[in-house]
Amino acid sequence: MTATLNPYLADNFAPVQTELTVEQLTVIGELPPELNGMFVRNGPNPQFPPLGRYHWFDGDGMLHGVHIQDGKASYRNRYIQTRGFKQERQAGQALFGGLLEPSQEGFKNVANTALVWHRDRLLALWEGGEPHAVELPNLDTSGTYTFEGKLSSPVTAHPKVDPVTGEMMFFGYSLGQPPYVKYSVVSAQGELLQTVPIDLPVGVMMHDFAITEHYTIFMDLPLTFRLERLQRGEPAFAFERDRSSRFGILPRHGDNESIRWFEAPSCYVFHTLNAYEEGDDIVLIACRTNSTSVLGASPSSHEGDNRQVRTDVPLLYRWRFNLKTGTVQEQTLDDHSCEFPRINEQYLGRPIRYGYAGSTAPIELPKFDGLLKFDLDKQSVQKHSFGEGRYGGEGVFVPRPNGTSEDDGWLMTFVHDETQDRSELVIISTQAMMSEAIARIQMPQRVPYGFHGTWVTLP
């Protein structure tokens, strides 16, 4: 596939090359006066034409940030200055291959996937390597962050920060040799307290996990990596439909000896919404597909009854794992196709009533045509549509300072109008999802579609 034909290098997936700082942005509507902080979103943005076949996950990390203070907004975007980025910038060309076509130089840590704020530090994340520390509000890269040299594994793109204890949990997975997973706990003060191996029978792509108040949940799902396939000239990744899904539950400060595995039907989960404890049950809510073709692992559809059946449509699911009986129950919560689920993170690991996710558009490319609010108690859903020809990203929940309820706050996301080729940061009241956005901040340049973001309250 040539660069000109790759959809992830065209239109609003195409990279932007200019790093801007614009102090005063036009706002349509009104910014809430109590909203003071910075919205930052990560995503892939290759600085040079890629070598070989380009996968969307390959691009250099670029941060797009909007600083909101006293009813005004400013913008800046910056590349994350990784080692590989600097090497290529010095060479004036791409040096590293990607997921679909690796090069002899191996992979570069592109730091392009997500962000986590912990102990007054912003970390940019890529699940194949160490995090990069980023300064706020200027978005300058401080360098790699290894917890004072104690880090001994990659770091997932989705660490979990307990809103009560302040601890941060993360894991790192390895594909080629065991241990295939290492699990770590960081104290509220930022000290890496423990790293323990978790035994798996084979390496798997484990993108996310979940925590409750007392437990951590791992997902051993059948998107496997096997060197023998590679030696046969086949893709190393494959979705093994006949392999069960396994969910491992261990006490937060436990280890491989204290993990307990539960089996469920074959599936794949990229992102969890939340998990919590309810009596003897551990409850997990996540976006689930029957299979995935993310790395060329398997076809996304199969012939059945003379028609194409999509098996990679993500739906919100709930699992119940009973610690007393060992039984597993799973059920679909809604039939809206959705991904990039988020909650009010003040409730992370605790029972929730509300969840939010991007509404996946009925097209081949991964675009969201709106945001969904799930009321899990009433089993109802509300949709905020972006409008015709407008597509957005993950809706990051920003709690209202001194808010009075779980859903008292806003969702923020970048939206691109493909007819006008304009981007904006849209702010939606989560208690008025069906209404128009309360504010639309006009971006000074196009913001390409990307991955995950966060909101950091600043003084």
Side-chain angles (χ1 to χ4, degrees):
M1 181 179 288
T2 64
T4 53
L5 295 178
N6 191 319
Y8 295 105
L9 293 169
D11 301 320
N12 196 46
F13 287 97
V16 295
Q17 305 299 343
T18 307
E19 294 177 302
L20 293 180
T21 301
V22 179
E23 289 301 336
Q24 193 149 336
L25 304 176
T26 299
V27 179
I28 300 171
E30 190 171 341
L31 294 171
E34 66 269 51
L35 201 55
N36 291 302
M38 194 163 186
F39 175 82
V40 188
R41 198 218 64 199
N42 206 344
N45 197 89
Q47 65 169 329
F48 295 112
L51 299 177
R53 290 184 297 153
Y54 176 75
H55 191 285
W56 195 28
F57 296 172
D58 292 337
D60 297 292
M62 177 178 275
L63 302 177
H64 296 264
V66 177
H67 189 191
I68 299 173
Q69 192 82 26
D70 300 325
K72 298 179 180 178
S74 62
Y75 167 83
R76 68 192 65 210
N77 66 305
R78 297 290 186 272
Y79 278 107
I80 300 170
Q81 302 276 332
T82 68
R83 181 180 64 87
F85 174 90
K86 291 177 181 177
Q87 287 177 302
E88 291 184 328
R89 173 152 288 191
Q90 186 172 5
Q93 64 180 24
L95 301 173
F96 298 88
L99 292 170
L100 298 178
E101 206 166 334
S103 62
Q104 289 185 337
E105 286 75 14
F107 296 105
K108 64 176 170 178
N109 181 338
V110 287
N112 70 6
T113 311
L115 299 153
V116 67
W117 176 258
H118 186 243
R119 199 177 174 268
D120 298 329
R121 182 177 287 110
L122 185 66
L123 299 177
L125 304 160
W126 178 72
E127 65 196 55
E130 66 273 13
H132 286 73
V134 175
E135 298 174 8
L136 289 181
N138 57 31
L139 300 184
D140 291 341
T141 307
S142 300
T144 57
Y145 190 76
T146 62
F147 299 92
E148 298 183 343
K150 292 182 179 180
L151 184 65
S152 63
S153 74
V155 175
T156 173
H158 298 289
K160 309 299 178 191
V161 178
D162 188 307
V164 176
T165 69
E167 292 172 298
M168 179 170 71
M169 279 57 68
F170 69 83
F171 70 92
Y173 68 86
S174 164
L175 296 172
Q177 59 186 24
Y180 293 119
V181 172
K182 288 184 177 180
Y183 165 55
S184 298
V185 179
V186 179
S187 74
Q189 292 72 40
E191 181 186 358
L192 183 52
L193 297 177
Q194 71 168 53
T195 298
V196 297
I198 303 295
D199 288 342
L200 299 181
V202 65
V204 297
M205 183 180 176
M206 188 184 295
H207 185 65
D208 201 357
F209 73 134
I211 65 165
T212 70
E213 185 178 356
H214 300 105
Y215 294 93
T216 297
I217 305 168
F218 292 104
M219 300 182 292
D220 176 16
L221 306 178
L223 179 53
T224 64
F225 178 92
R226 297 186 188 270
L227 284 173
E228 55 266 33
R229 282 195 293 259
L230 200 60
Q231 291 162 356
R232 294 196 299 264
E234 302 169 3
F237 281 100
F239 187 84
E240 301 183 12
R241 296 177 186 271
D242 297 331
R243 190 171 178 265
S244 296
S245 297
R246 298 198 314 153
F247 296 82
I249 300 175
L250 78 160
R252 174 173 297 181
H253 298 101
D255 57 22
N256 193 63
E257 300 302 313
S258 51
I259 195 167
R260 185 172 175 188
W261 291 99
F262 294 77
E263 285 201 6
S266 175
C267 70
Y268 196 71
V269 172
F270 275 106
H271 300 111
T272 62
L273 177 76
N274 195 28
Y276 55 90
E277 300 158 30
E278 193 172 87
D280 294 324
D281 286 345
I282 301 294
V283 180
L284 172 67
I285 304 175
C287 293
R288 175 198 187 277
T289 62
N290 288 329
S291 71
T292 182
S293 57
V294 64
L295 296 174
S298 68
S300 62
S301 58
H302 63 274
E303 291 292 340
D305 300 326
N306 297 318
R307 60 192 174 94
Q308 290 278 307
V309 180
R310 286 286 298 271
T311 61
D312 62 349
V313 175
L315 301 176
L316 201 64
Y317 259 68
R318 178 170 58 211
W319 291 260
R320 290 183 176 274
F321 308 100
N322 190 286
L323 296 176
K324 186 171 285 186
T325 64
T327 56
V328 181
Q329 295 178 318
E330 69 171 42
Q331 68 177 120
T332 315
L333 295 181
D334 191 81
D335 59 2
H336 284 80
S337 177
C338 64
E339 251 296 353
F340 284 21
R342 297 295 294 252
I343 62 168
N344 179 343
E345 293 188 357
Q346 295 171 329
Y347 292 78
L348 185 71
R350 277 76 183 172
I352 55 170
R353 177 174 175 178
Y354 300 105
Y356 311 90
S359 169
T360 53
I363 54 179
E364 286 298 315
L365 291 173
K367 297 181 185 180
F368 296 139
D369 60 13
L371 294 174
L372 302 171
K373 176 185 180 180
F374 297 96
D375 185 327
L376 301 172
D377 288 356
K378 291 186 176 180
Q379 298 180 322
S380 63
V381 62
Q382 292 179 314
K383 180 177 179 178
H384 177 94
S385 295
F386 296 137
E388 189 173 351
R390 292 165 56 87
Y391 298 98
E394 174 187 63
V396 174
F397 184 90
V398 179
R400 184 189 302 274
N402 303 313
T404 57
S405 63
E406 181 189 337
D407 67 338
D408 192 358
W410 307 274
L411 291 179
M412 293 189 186
T413 188
F414 287 118
V415 171
H416 185 70
D417 189 318
E418 297 195 344
T419 58
Q420 299 183 15
D421 198 24
R422 288 291 306 264
S423 298
E424 51 193 30
L425 179 66
V426 172
I427 302 176
I428 300 154
S429 169
T430 46
Q431 294 184 332
M433 285 291 292
M434 312 287 279
S435 302
E436 289 188 8
I438 61 169
R440 295 161 46 206
I441 304 172
Q442 306 297 290
M443 294 297 101
Q445 69 174 347
R446 184 173 60 80
V447 177
Y449 300 126
F451 299 141
H452 302 284
T454 193
W455 168 264
V456 180
T457 299
L458 296 175

